């Protein structure tokens, strides 16, 4: 009848078994900072054009080779609560801006790391947070003055290319001009006059084989499937789009055919056929030569379609249908009726093409304007193409930012170095304890030029020294790290070199990173419930012996 | 050996002083955790659920609910506090703190040999007097007194979220409550919808004078934005519904089937035609828009018919939204489409669709005289959104309480200090033995200003002594958390709810008295249990 062994008195004995409880600076704050630091160290090496790739194998054994931070954190499934806060902030950056996720993670992590000595010296988290927020405010102010170029007309190909280029460069170094061109072309051609630019309107279709240099931009839509009927090419296509299956109409209520004699049976099937034929003829008479259906096209219908010389395409995705309607200007019809003139869509040519051993259907619009454009990505492996796709996504998002706000700041660590300098100067004017935190904020920003210099194998110290020296002069505002530099030219004027970043990208990045760092600092207690049940994770695969 | 162990050898038992000290240590443990939460300068706690979800909060109520407490005494205290939150919407942390402090102060006397019964008697007397003092301190407030209401909301919200966000939420809470108040009817906070959008920053949370629905129109060609719109709210099926009984068609030829298909649809088409006719009669020749919001389904064909007429149609709206819609825009929710007139329609200045990632939202806003409003919560992360949602709930409750109580009390520890001095006077006049209870109560009250001072990083002893001294001279003195000096809370707009204070003192006394009177804790040992 043994009584329970009495647990140590205090709070933890009151919790459910398995729950963990950490409180105070030592247990909660320092541990959080340590975890975030480790996490950021992992991801740090992937920053910049010369950032290293990582191989990630996720829980379903899918392989990723990338240096895109968003993908890395998504597939890593971070569990540590504090690190998760950083991940959430970077996810937000991904959603809000679409690029610069690594920037957020590294900055937030560095801010936390820099807070550590201050905490150890006895500053309270509240003071540090206040200092960081002051510094952020100042940094945002300064950032606006650092604009070195403004893209006023997002249709100006040369100007846009420069911005898109730098974004792609950090993901696919070496192909930035080629991909930049594809992206710029795809984006500008679909830029609407009035409404906002929608990232979703640049489609990416990956087809394996050949090399990246055979990738191309097509105005219109490309679907990775064949046609249903015999006709495989149609120019000057008049398109009708049905969301329903292309078949004989049926009632919602169960129907039974009541046949009493052989003659009735005969007349029934022939009646069915002739009805369908008349329907298809009516459709043809409305001027249609391409039929797109959202559901199955029955064999008998296909027969008559072939007979009438209509091209038939079946699309399975509801969204593909919507997009196609957007491209061609067709109105989707819910029932099988001949379309009116307004309901017809138009494409200059619709044809089957074969790339590699895949057949694709292309709805192509000639001329320069379209509503949707598709970039066909070629590449040797799936992984490689996925990585290119991510690079293109970032490029397209950059274009979106430009349409909203065309202010550009110099890249290559230039803007961070300048911000660091100005925030540091500012920190010296703050009277209270916050000044130390603000100075740390400034110092955190210098991590970016440092990483750039280190990852590109320069003599980091010399390069940084030259960089700071340059920034001390008023004309050195745009100086950044020259990642391709030799010993004598470690720094470069990023504005002249055409290495530009979007202002809003840095703006949101600073905001989200500071927010995440402050959130982590504010926490002084962590209460973790026992992990919920469910299948336990598979033990990691044993490494090979050799 | 206790008698019970003879009856059931597996039973566990704790007796006498041991029982009391168990209760005390539980209360103290809970106090230790909750202490740092109190007040605007309290710190945050991070809760990680079993599934790994993060919650960051300093709301005592949320904390107690999520902590999974198993200790019997601690869970009793936790439950009292959360029940308190259910009734008044605030004051959980204070309740926990006061209960623990009452037990702690009582212990000093019990060690000296005072019977717990005497102390609880003293508590009860003190509590009765405290209620009278509270009544005398009450400052009246009415619904139109926006300034005071804002002060109340701000005080409540500042203890839940950081002050920048609190400022935004304060305005929202007050305006929302003022909007939904109908004369001669009790306030129904359900008429304030809280809709969340995970984007941008917390400070962009705003009040929409109308309704935000979390789904969009289901047809790509429907208008995305309508100004000056009529709203038809209805609960009529606009899709084919199968009969309840098993039925079927018999037909002989394709032509017959074609006819059946058409007649099957006709029934629904007639209904849609009625809506279209109404639209034409009210909108033709004007620039007005027309929106149909249906609780039941609308099939693709009907959607298509409506789209051709430039009508925006939403299907499968939530039931609770139907009630809110009529309150927000006016009009009547229709259950049949037979007698449609213009009077059945509601009005909204602007109706538009907003797409965020994959989710569509429909805003029915700029309603002329809305009695139901929506708070649109923005936040970059899910934990930030939950934090705001919890805070909003408390803020709204605070405003509601203030309106319903018809009065507010000064905050910043002023109530506790005042009570302490009034009750001291009572104690001095008492000659019965239970006087010790009143004295213990007086001392315990100091826990609130003490904790406030501690969380703000002041020298607690120094600040409290000064404050206690000042309070003797002046009527309502509270602690200024910025300077550590005393201040007059009413001047600075730091106001607490009357009902919250009343409730927290009353329930703390009851729970503390109950716990003090426990002299034996038993646990029936069941053979199935481990240990």
């Amino acid at each position: 009848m043994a009584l329970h062994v009495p647990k140590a008195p205090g709070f933890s004995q009151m919790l459910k078994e398995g729950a963990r409880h950490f409180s105070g600076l030592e247990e909660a704050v320092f541990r959080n900072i340590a975890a975030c630091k480790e996490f950021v160290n992992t991801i740090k090496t992937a920053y910049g054009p010369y950032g290293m790739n990582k191989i990630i194998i996720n829980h379903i054994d899918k392989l990723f080779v990338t240096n895109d931070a968003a993908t890395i954190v998504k597939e890593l499934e971070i569990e540590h609560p504090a690190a998760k806060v950083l991940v959430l902030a970077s996810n937000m950056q991904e959603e809000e801006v679409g690029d610069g996720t690594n920037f957020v993670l590294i900055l937030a992590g560095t801010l936390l790391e820099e807070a550590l000595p201050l905490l150890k010296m006895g500053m309270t988290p509240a003071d540090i947070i206040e200092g960081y927020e002051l510094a952020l405010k100042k940094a945002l102010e300064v950032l606006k003055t650092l604009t070195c170029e403004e893209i006023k007309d997002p249709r100006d190909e040369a100007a846009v290319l420069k911005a898109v280029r730098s974004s792609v460069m950090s993901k696919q170094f070496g192909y930035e001009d080629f991909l930049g061109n594809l992206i710029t072309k795809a984006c500008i051609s679909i830029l609407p006059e009035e409404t906002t630019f929608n990232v979703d309107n640049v489609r990416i279709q990956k087809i394996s084989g050949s090399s990246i240099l055979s990738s191309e931009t097509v105005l219109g839509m490309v679907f990775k499937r064949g046609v249903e009927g015999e006709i495989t090419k149609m120019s000057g296509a008049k398109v009708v789009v049905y969301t329903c299956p292309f078949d004989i109409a049926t009632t919602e209520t169960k129907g039974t055919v009541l046949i009493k004699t052989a003659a009735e049976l005969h007349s029934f099937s022939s009646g069915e056929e002739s009805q369908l034929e008349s329907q298809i003829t009516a459709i043809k008479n409305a001027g249609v030569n391409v039929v797109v259906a959202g559901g199955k096209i029955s064999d008998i219908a296909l027969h008559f379609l072939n007979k009438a010389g209509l091209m038939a395409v079946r699309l399975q995705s509801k969204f593909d249908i919507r997009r196609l309607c957007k491209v061609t200007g067709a109105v989707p019809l819910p029932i099988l009726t001949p379309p009116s003139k307004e309901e017809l869509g138009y494409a200059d040519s619709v044809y089957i093409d074969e790339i590699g051993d895949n057949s694709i259907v292309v709805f192509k619009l000639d001329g320069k304007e379209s509503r949707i454009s598709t970039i066909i990505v070629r590449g040797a492996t799936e992984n490689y193409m996925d990585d290119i796709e991510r690079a293109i996504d970032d490029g397209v998002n950059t274009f979106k930012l430009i349409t909203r706000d065309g202010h550009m700041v110099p890249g290559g660590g230039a803007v961070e170095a300048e911000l660091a300098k100005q925030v540091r100067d500012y920190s010296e004017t703050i009277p209270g304890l916050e000044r130390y935190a603000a100075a740390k904020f400034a110092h955190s920003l210098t991590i970016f030029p440092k990483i750039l210099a280190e990852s590109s194998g320069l003599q980091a110290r010399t390069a940084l020294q030259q960089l700071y020296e340059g920034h001390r002069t008023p004309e050195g505002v745009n100086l950044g790290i020259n990642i391709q530099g030799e010993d004598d030219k470690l720094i470069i004027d990023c504005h002249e070199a055409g290495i530009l970043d979007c202002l809003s990208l840095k703006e949101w990045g600073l905001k989200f990173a500071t927010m995440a760092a402050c959130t982590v600092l504010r926490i002084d207690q962590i209460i973790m419930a026992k992990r919920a049940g469910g299948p336990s994770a598979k033990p990691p695969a044993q490494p090979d012996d050799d | 050996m206790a008698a019970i162990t003879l009856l059931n050898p597996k039973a566990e038992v704790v007796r006498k002083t041991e029982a009391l000290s168990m209760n005390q240590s539980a209360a103290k443990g809970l106090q230790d955790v909750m202490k740092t939460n109190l007040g605007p300068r309290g710190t945050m706690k991070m809760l990680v659920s079993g599934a790994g979800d993060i919650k960051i909060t300093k709301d005592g109520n949320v904390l107690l609910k999520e902590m999974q407490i198993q200790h019997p005494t601690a869970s009793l205290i936790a439950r009292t506090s959360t029940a308190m939150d259910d009734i008044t919407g605030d004051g959980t942390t204070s309740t926990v703190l006061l209960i623990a402090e009452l037990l702690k102060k009582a212990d000093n006397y019990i060690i000296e040999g005072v019977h717990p019964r005497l102390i609880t008697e003293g508590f009860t007397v003190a509590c009765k007097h405290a209620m009278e003092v509270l009544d005398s301190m009450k400052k009246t407030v009415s619904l139109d007194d926006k300034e005071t209401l804002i002060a109340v909301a701000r005080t409540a919200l500042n203890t839940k979220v950081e002050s920048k966000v609190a400022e935004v939420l304060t305005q929202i809470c007050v305006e929302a409550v003022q909007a939904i108040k109908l004369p001669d009817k009790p306030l129904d906070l359900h008429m304030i919808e809280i809709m969340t959008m995970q984007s941008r920053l917390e400070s962009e949370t705003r009040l929409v004078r109308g309704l935000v629905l979390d789904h969009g129109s289901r047809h790509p060609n429907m208008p995305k934005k309508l100004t000056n719109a009529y709203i038809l709210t209805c609960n009529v099926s606009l899709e084919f519904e199968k009969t309840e009984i098993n039925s079927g068609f018999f037909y002989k030829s394709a032509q017959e089937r074609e006819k059946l298909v058409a007649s099957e649809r006709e029934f629904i088409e007639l209904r849609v035609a009625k809506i279209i006719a109404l639209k034409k009669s009210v909108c033709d020749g004007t620039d007005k828009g027309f929106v149909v919001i249906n609780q039941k389904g609308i099939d693709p064909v009907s959607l298509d018919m409506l789209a051709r007429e430039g009508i925006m149609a939403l299907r499968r709206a939530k039931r609770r939204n139907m009630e809110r819609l009529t309150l927000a825009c006016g009009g009547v929710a229709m259950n049949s489409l037979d007698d449609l007139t213009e009077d059945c329609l509601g009005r909204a200045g602007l109706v538009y669709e907003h797409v965020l990632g994959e989710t569509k939202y429909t805003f029915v806003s700029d309603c002329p005289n809305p009695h139901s409003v929506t708070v649109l919560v923005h936040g970059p992360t899910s934990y930030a959104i939950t934090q705001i949602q919890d805070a909003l709930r408390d803020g709204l409750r605070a405003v509601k309480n203030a309106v319903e109580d018809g009065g507010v009390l000064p905050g910043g520890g002023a109530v506790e200090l005042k009570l302490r001095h009034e009750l001291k006077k009572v104690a001095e006049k008492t000659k019965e033995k239970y006087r010790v209870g009143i004295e213990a109560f007086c001392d315990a009250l100091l826990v609130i200003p003490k904790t406030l001072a501690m969380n703000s990083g002041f020298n607690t002893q120094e600040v409290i002594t000064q404050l206690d001294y000042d309070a003797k001279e002046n009527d309502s003195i509270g602690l200024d958390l910025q300077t550590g000096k005393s201040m007059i809370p009413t001047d600075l707009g730091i106001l607490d709810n009357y009902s919250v204070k009343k409730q927290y003192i009353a329930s703390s006394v009851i729970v503390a008295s109950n716990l003090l009177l426990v002299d034996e804790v038993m646990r029936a040992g069941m053979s199935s249990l481990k240990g």
Side-chain angles (χ1 to χ4, degrees), chain B residues 22-256:
Chain B
M22 184 191 96
N23 285 344
Q24 267 162 355
S25 77
K28 200 164 156 286
L30 211 51
Q31 187 191 31
D32 281 344
V33 180
M34 307 284 288
K35 196 159 64 178
T36 48
N37 282 352
L38 189 75
R41 306 198 72 174
T43 48
M44 299 278 195
K45 310 248 177 293
M46 178 186 256
L47 294 162
V48 184
S49 76
D53 288 333
I54 297 177
K55 212 166 202 185
I56 296 178
T57 185
K58 59 179 185 175
D59 186 339
N61 178 40
V62 177
L63 208 56
L64 287 175
K65 275 198 179 141
E66 303 272 329
M67 266 192 317
Q68 302 185 316
I69 298 169
Q70 275 205 325
H71 190 287
T73 317
S75 77
L76 175 74
I77 298 175
R79 263 184 236 151
T80 319
S81 308
T82 45
M84 155 103 200
D85 189 273
D86 293 341
I87 301 165
T88 58
D90 207 349
T92 16
T93 312
S94 316
T95 313
V96 172
L97 293 190
L98 190 59
I99 292 175
E101 198 68 12
L102 285 172
L103 290 178
K104 217 194 278 176
K105 296 293 172 205
D107 191 41
N108 292 344
Y109 293 99
I110 292 172
I111 289 172
E112 288 170 12
V114 181
H115 193 275
R117 173 70 67 188
L118 286 179
I119 297 173
T120 57
E121 259 172 52
F123 282 174
T124 321
V125 174
C127 180
K128 207 177 112 225
H129 282 286
M131 294 301 143
E132 283 161 20
V133 179
L134 282 184
D135 275 332
S136 72
M137 288 178 84
K138 198 162 138 183
K139 183 171 163 263
T140 53
V141 64
S142 75
L143 184 62
D144 306 318
D145 187 356
K146 197 168 172 186
E147 219 167 283
T148 315
L149 290 182
I150 283 184
V152 175
R154 186 187 295 128
T155 314
L157 285 165
N158 261 318
T159 62
K160 306 283 180 269
V161 285
E162 53 179 317
S163 59
K164 233 182 349 184
V165 184
E167 203 49 47
V168 181
L169 297 186
T170 303
Q171 294 289 338
I172 292 174
C173 286
V174 176
E175 280 175 26
V177 173
Q178 280 183 330
I180 60 157
K181 174 73 186 158
L182 290 168
D184 312 322
K185 274 192 192 159
L187 271 173
D188 183 5
L189 289 184
H190 289 296
M191 288 306 112
I192 300 174
E193 166 92 344
I194 296 178
M195 184 56 74
T196 59
M197 260 191 202
Q198 191 173 345
S199 72
R200 310 193 83 84
L201 295 176
E202 292 100 323
S203 47
E204 284 171 54
T205 300
R206 66 188 173 98
L207 183 73
V208 177
R209 293 191 172 276
L211 210 63
V212 181
L213 304 153
D214 54 354
H215 47 114
S217 65
R218 296 305 301 257
H219 195 279
N221 288 11
M222 283 197 177
K224 300 268 180 280
K225 189 173 175 182
L226 291 171
T227 49
N228 203 357
Y230 284 105
I231 315 278
L232 173 65
T233 40
C234 51
N235 184 11
V236 181
S237 171
L238 292 179
E239 65 187 341
F240 182 77
E241 277 177 17
K242 284 210 172 95
T243 48
E244 301 253 339
I245 44 165
N246 196 5
S247 58
F249 288 141
F250 291 98
Y251 46 80
K252 270 197 212 107
S253 66
Q255 283 79 13
E256 270 179 46

Side-chain angles (χ1 to χ4, degrees), chain A residues 187-496:
Chain A
C187 292
I188 292 183
S189 61
I190 60 160
L191 183 66
E193 291 288 340
E194 283 155 16
T195 50
T196 49
F197 174 78
N198 187 350
V199 186
D200 213 30
N201 289 348
V202 177
R203 310 297 309 163
I204 295 168
Q205 201 59 264
K206 292 171 284 187
I207 297 168
S208 59
S210 193
S211 88
I212 178 172
L213 291 172
S214 341
S215 305
E216 57 173 330
T217 302
V218 175
L219 293 186
M221 291 285 287
V222 174
F223 301 104
K224 220 167 153 182
R225 57 184 304 124
V227 290
E228 301 286 319
E230 285 167 354
I231 295 108
T232 54
K233 191 167 170 52
M234 193 67 78
S235 48
K238 298 257 177 50
V239 185
V240 63
V241 180
Y242 293 107
T243 50
C244 57
F246 200 92
D247 198 359
I248 300 158
T250 47
T251 52
E252 299 262 354
T253 318
K254 205 175 89 185
T256 313
V257 188
L258 200 64
I259 291 166
K260 287 190 184 111
T261 63
E264 274 178 1
L265 176 66
H266 184 72
S267 74
F268 178 75
S269 22
S270 66
E272 220 170 29
E273 282 164 23
S274 68
Q275 198 186 17
L276 198 60
E277 186 172 13
S278 68
Q279 261 172 346
I280 289 175
T281 327
I283 291 172
K284 191 186 175 172
N285 289 343
V288 175
N289 49 20
V290 177
V291 173
V292 178
K296 201 172 177 315
I297 300 178
S298 69
D299 289 347
I300 184 87
L302 201 59
H303 166 75
F304 287 114
L305 284 171
N306 283 337
K307 199 171 153 197
L310 299 178
M311 184 169 175
V313 180
R314 180 184 170 197
L315 295 178
Q316 260 156 343
S317 152
K318 185 167 85 174
F319 299 100
D320 275 346
I321 291 206
R322 265 187 214 166
R323 285 188 201 110
L324 184 68
C325 288
K326 230 181 198 172
V327 174
T328 57
V331 179
L333 298 171
I335 39 174
L336 220 56
T337 48
S340 67
K341 234 181 191 156
E342 296 78 45
E343 286 160 352
L344 273 182
Y346 180 79
D348 284 306
S349 53
V350 180
Y351 59 92
I352 289 257
D353 202 355
E354 268 179 31
I355 300 184
D357 54 357
N358 289 300
S359 58
I360 53 168
V361 183
V362 183
F363 285 79
K364 192 172 181 176
L365 291 173
D366 296 339
K368 294 206 85 175
E369 298 282 313
S370 166
R371 291 220 187 90
I372 288 179
S373 57
T374 309
I375 299 176
I376 301 176
V377 174
R378 306 299 312 276
T381 63
E382 280 292 325
N383 283 318
Y384 187 49
M385 288 192 296
D386 286 344
D387 212 25
I388 305 239
E389 182 181 0
R390 287 188 282 269
I392 294 179
D393 274 342
D394 283 356
V396 175
N397 275 311
T398 309
F399 183 78
K400 182 178 83 178
L401 288 180
I402 296 172
T403 59
R404 284 195 203 154
D405 175 11
H407 289 88
M408 307 300 288
V409 290
V415 74
E416 287 88 355
E418 185 63 22
L419 279 177
K421 183 194 126 209
Q422 298 211 23
V423 172
R424 186 173 301 121
D425 291 349
Y426 165 74
S427 74
E428 275 157 31
T429 66
I430 305 176
L433 274 177
E434 295 87 10
R435 66 185 302 173
Y436 298 109
K440 288 290 184 193
F441 186 95
H443 190 243
S444 306
L445 283 168
T446 58
I447 185 99
F448 294 102
K450 191 165 155 230
I451 295 176
L452 282 179
E454 277 172 1
S455 68
S456 45
L458 300 180
Q459 289 181 322
R461 261 173 210 216
T462 329
L464 288 176
Q465 189 202 354
Q466 286 182 12
L467 182 71
Y468 299 143
E469 226 160 76
H471 274 271
R472 235 172 268 158
T473 57
E475 57 273 10
V477 182
N478 294 336
L479 286 180
I481 299 286
N482 181 13
I483 52 165
Q484 284 173 302
E486 296 299 321
D487 285 346
D488 53 333
K489 229 185 155 315
L490 294 172
I491 54 172
I492 190 175
D493 187 311
C494 289
H495 180 202
E496 278 169 22

Side-chain angles (χ1 to χ4, degrees), chain A residues 49-104:
Chain A
Y50 277 148
M52 304 303 278
N53 278 351
K54 310 220 172 272
I55 287 188
I56 300 146
I57 297 168
N58 72 359
H59 64 288
I60 47 167
D61 280 343
K62 193 169 179 227
L63 181 88
F64 292 83
V65 182
T66 183
N67 62 5
D68 180 48
T71 317
I72 297 175
V73 296
K74 196 159 73 199
E75 301 304 335
L76 269 185
E77 294 181 41
I78 305 288
E79 266 190 25
H80 189 282
K84 215 166 167 183
V85 171
L86 300 200
V87 172
L88 288 175
S90 88
N91 285 349
M92 224 32 237
Q93 170 87 354
E94 174 76 16
E95 244 160 66
E96 201 70 48
V97 187
D99 196 1
T101 40
N102 212 342
F103 178 82
V104 173

